[in-house]
Amino acid sequence: MQTHVVLPTVTTPATPVLSATSGTRWPASLWAALMLLCGVLFLDGLDVSMVGVALPSIGSELHMSTSSLQWVISGYVLGYGGFLLLGGRTADLLGRRRVLLLALGVFAAASLLGGLVNDPTLLIAARFIKGAAAAFTAPAGLSIITTTFPEGPSRNRALSIYTAFGASGFSSGLILGGLMTEVGWRWTFLLPAPIAIAVLIAGIKLIPDHGRPDGPRQGYDVLGAATSTLALLLLVYTVVSASSVGWASPITLGSFAVVLALVVAFVMIERRVAHPLLRLGILRNKNVLAADLTAMAVFGSYAGFQFIGTIYMQSLLHWSPLSMALAFLPAGLIVAFGGPRTGALVNRFGAGRIVALGLASFVVAYGLFLQIDANPNYALAILPSMVLLGLGFALSFPALNIQATTGVGDDEQGLASGLVQTSFQVGGAIALAVVTAVLDAAAPRTTAEVIASYHPALAVVTGIALAGLIATVAISGLRKPAAEQEPALEPELAQV
């Protein structure tokens, strides 16, 4: 008899299919399933950071300008942010394992496509497809965890480990991206393909197939899905293209007007349809609302900062991709080693306090980076910011994922996971577009003017992080929540 973990089907929130209490040692089968899901997030972090390191090399070989080069990143964000809400709800309705595995296959195929094309448009299209695939893997994987582990210390511990793997993937991608770019930037696209295939094969073996969720079949909100996806796609596209066509141009203003009309239509649909894609009442949960707004600030500020840092180190200082990766590495290492311990801090102090502390660290980190010049002393001008960035991510990223799924029923965990992931990506797209517009507007000629052009962009990044800090304090406050007792449930295993 071989023991397998029974992973969740959609049940009532009071009856988790599998749980591991704070006083129970997790079985090997549960660890194997968790590590598989961690591998999915590791892959996402690896892919994003590898391509980010390769941007200057891609632009040089394919003759892409700074404004067009941002689409290599923004194309991924467009697909990711545009389909996340749909991906999360699809996982809830059609089965999380099925959605996860199918999307992993598409992710692997898109990785191969991106590494083989020579046309910038096809390269951006491949990134869009890969982002859309990740929009289904991310909420499916996260919701499997949140429905497998009961709310409380066990879930907080699992999510801390899970998010630390994402940071480890990101920091590993910086080094691997630097090494691969030295050989050829195409390898930064090709390398994730075999990893995705390996994770896919492992997922088939480690995640039991329970088919569609039990219970009555719910109708699928096709109109709501189409409206929300179009609104998110158009929003992300508008903000990332505004830097080239102009924020006050008729095209940009008209696009924003259409986005607003689609949002209004979506809200009206969700209020009337029998089985909505997004139950609007979920936003009355302060944990969900605070986490979603703060997630936009966390990833938005960092996406803008990384873009500035990459251009500064490689284009101005002429550092190699590997040297730039090593410069960012301390931040990733701090998250990798500190992230798994964040769950214990959340248990003791509450998610709101930990998120606020992380955002305060971001604000200081970005402010310190303003002292950069044409001949920086790494230990004095750059390293302090990297250390504080690592601390900020180690604290805020796990805490936000915990906060975003707290008080949400099992049947809406995919939705809650999709919402917070959507917030991360939309925040990144908007901030990156604004930062790019600020940098393009400067049109510097001398080295001193280039350095000066970074200051207003860094001020924008710092302001975004500060806005997130204010939002999390205003909504969730800094009071320690009442102690929550985790239900004393025995792990339920199936003998197969």
Side-chain angles (χ1 to χ4, degrees):
M1 304 286 286
Q2 186 176 1
T3 302
H4 285 279
V5 178
V6 176
L7 290 178
T9 56
V10 175
T11 58
T12 59
T15 313
V17 177
L18 174 73
S19 67
T21 64
S22 56
T24 303
R25 181 176 296 179
W26 294 350
S29 51
L30 179 57
W31 273 110
L34 177 60
M35 289 300 101
L36 180 278
L37 298 171
C38 288
V40 176
L41 189 62
F42 180 92
L43 181 63
D44 287 344
L46 181 77
D47 182 80
V48 171
S49 60
M50 285 180 67
V51 174
V53 173
L55 284 179
S57 298
I58 295 172
S60 177
E61 182 172 330
L62 299 184
H63 308 291
M64 300 174 68
S65 64
T66 300
S67 59
S68 62
L69 192 61
Q70 75 156 341
W71 280 100
V72 177
I73 300 297
S74 297
Y76 183 90
V77 173
L78 179 63
Y80 203 165
F83 287 95
L84 265 168
L85 186 58
L86 177 61
R89 196 56 179 154
T90 300
D92 284 337
L93 297 178
L94 302 184
R96 297 174 179 111
R97 178 187 186 271
R98 175 183 303 176
V99 170
L100 178 70
L101 298 181
L102 286 175
L104 273 172
V106 176
F107 189 96
S111 295
L112 289 173
L113 176 63
L116 298 175
V117 300
N118 292 310
D119 182 74
T121 302
L122 292 178
L123 180 67
I124 293 170
R127 293 288 293 166
F128 174 82
I129 295 171
K130 185 183 285 190
F136 287 82
T137 62
L142 180 57
S143 59
I144 288 175
I145 291 177
T146 55
T147 51
T148 297
F149 295 88
E151 189 174 309
S154 285
R155 182 186 293 180
N156 294 351
R157 181 188 180 196
L159 287 178
S160 295
I161 296 171
Y162 175 72
T163 52
F165 265 78
S168 298
F170 190 88
S171 58
S172 299
L174 290 172
I175 300 300
L176 288 174
L179 292 173
M180 293 298 98
T181 303
E182 296 286 351
V183 178
W185 64 263
R186 294 181 185 278
W187 288 102
T188 64
F189 286 80
L190 295 172
L191 183 62
I195 299 176
I197 293 172
V199 173
L200 172 60
I201 295 173
I204 294 173
K205 295 182 178 181
L206 294 176
I207 304 179
D209 185 5
H210 298 295
R212 294 191 178 192
D214 294 335
R217 293 284 182 261
Q218 294 186 5
Y220 198 75
D221 181 14
V222 177
L223 189 57
T227 307
S228 63
T229 301
L230 285 174
L232 287 169
L233 285 171
L234 184 57
L235 173 62
V236 176
Y237 176 82
T238 302
V239 296
V240 297
S241 61
S243 60
S244 58
V245 301
W247 287 91
S249 72
I251 294 177
T252 301
L253 296 178
S255 294
F256 278 128
V258 174
V259 170
L260 179 60
L262 287 171
V263 170
V264 172
F266 175 71
V267 172
M268 294 177 64
I269 292 169
E270 300 309 283
R271 293 181 63 181
R272 298 179 182 180
V273 72
H275 302 289
L277 177 71
L278 170 60
R279 185 180 64 82
L280 299 176
I282 195 174
L283 297 177
R284 290 196 292 268
N285 182 323
K286 285 188 175 182
N287 289 317
V288 173
L289 180 61
D292 291 347
L293 291 177
T294 307
M296 295 179 68
V298 167
F299 192 67
S301 61
Y302 182 75
F305 174 80
Q306 187 188 23
F307 190 78
I308 297 168
T310 300
I311 300 299
Y312 167 65
M313 294 177 190
Q314 292 197 46
S315 298
L316 182 67
L317 301 183
H318 304 293
W319 289 3
S320 69
L322 181 58
S323 296
M324 193 215 77
L326 291 173
F328 275 85
L329 183 60
L333 292 177
I334 291 172
V335 183
F337 288 101
R341 296 164 175 79
T342 301
L345 295 176
V346 171
N347 295 337
R348 182 174 181 181
F349 300 106
R353 288 181 172 184
I354 301 304
V355 170
L357 185 58
L359 277 162
S361 183
F362 280 122
V363 171
V364 178
Y366 300 140
L368 288 177
F369 204 73
L370 287 167
Q371 65 182 314
I372 57 173
D373 55 31
N375 297 288
N377 182 311
Y378 176 78
L380 297 177
I382 298 177
L383 182 59
S385 291
M386 296 303 170
V387 171
L388 288 169
L389 283 176
L391 179 61
F393 262 115
L395 293 171
S396 63
F397 193 46
L400 280 172
N401 281 277
I402 293 169
Q403 187 180 40
T405 55
T406 298
V408 179
D410 280 1
D411 60 332
E412 290 187 324
Q413 283 294 330
L415 172 60
S417 301
L419 279 172
V420 70
Q421 295 292 342
T422 299
S423 299
F424 277 121
Q425 297 305 317
V426 171
I430 294 174
L432 183 57
V434 173
V435 166
T436 303
V438 172
L439 289 174
D440 286 345
R445 296 181 180 180
T446 66
T447 299
E449 289 175 344
V450 172
I451 295 292
S453 72
Y454 295 148
H455 291 170
L458 287 169
V460 170
V461 166
T462 307
I464 293 172
L466 182 59
L469 176 59
I470 294 172
T472 194
V473 172
I475 298 174
S476 60
L478 296 179
R479 293 179 299 173
K480 182 179 179 180
E484 296 180 357
Q485 297 295 325
E486 185 173 7
L489 301 175
E490 293 296 327
E492 298 179 17
L493 303 177
Q495 299 294 326
V496 180

